[in-house]
Amino acid sequence: MSSSLKLGVGNGSLKATVAQTLAKIGILIDEKTRQDWQETGNQLVSRVYVGRPANVVEYLGEGKIDCAIIGLDELIENSQQEKNDFIVISEFSLTKTSSNQRVKIVL
C-alpha cells in the first residue's frame, strides 16, 4: 500500500486556477500535457489524475484516486453513489479569478 495520495482534478475551466493553487504547496501539475496521470514530485500527493470531471467522480467512487478537488454539482450529477457516501473535507470558493485570493489548503 502506498503512503502517498492520488488526487483527482477536473480538466475544465478551473484547471489552471487549481494548478496554480496546488503549486503554492508544492503539488505540481503540468497544464500543457495531455497525459491523464501526472507525477507531482511531492511526497504527500505523488500522482494527480487530470480528466473529465465525470471521470474524476467515477475514479473517486472506484478508489482509483484517494481524494479530489471537484465541484459539488459535479459530484452530485456524476456520482452513482449517494453524496453522503463521500466525505467532504472542506468546501472553499475557487473561481477562475480567485488566483490572487488567499486559499488555505491543508493535507
Side-chain angles (χ1 to χ4, degrees):
M1 178 180 213
S2 175
S3 61
S4 60
L5 297 173
K6 293 176 291 230
L7 174 68
V9 175
N11 66 357
S13 60
L14 295 179
K15 181 174 92 170
T17 303
V18 170
Q20 290 170 0
T21 303
L22 290 175
K24 293 176 184 177
I25 59 169
I27 301 171
L28 304 177
I29 299 174
D30 183 353
E31 297 177 59
K32 295 179 180 146
T33 187
R34 296 183 62 93
Q35 293 180 326
D36 292 342
W37 285 99
Q38 298 183 31
E39 300 295 323
T40 66
N42 184 283
Q43 288 183 326
L44 184 59
V45 179
S46 62
R47 297 182 79 203
V48 175
Y49 171 77
V50 181
R52 290 181 45 240
N55 291 352
V56 172
V57 174
E58 178 183 338
Y59 283 16
L60 190 59
E62 293 174 356
K64 292 180 181 177
I65 57 175
D66 302 305
C67 54
I69 298 176
I70 192 82
L72 187 57
D73 58 334
E74 292 289 346
L75 182 63
I76 293 169
E77 283 180 35
N78 296 303
S79 177
Q80 296 196 5
Q81 299 175 334
E82 293 296 319
K83 173 191 162 224
N84 295 335
D85 289 345
F86 293 103
I87 297 170
V88 177
I89 296 170
S90 180
E91 293 184 31
F92 55 92
S93 176
L94 192 63
T95 65
K96 291 182 207 179
T97 59
S98 69
S99 60
N100 292 330
Q101 297 177 4
R102 297 175 101 173
V103 176
K104 186 173 185 178
I105 298 176
V106 180
L107 295 174

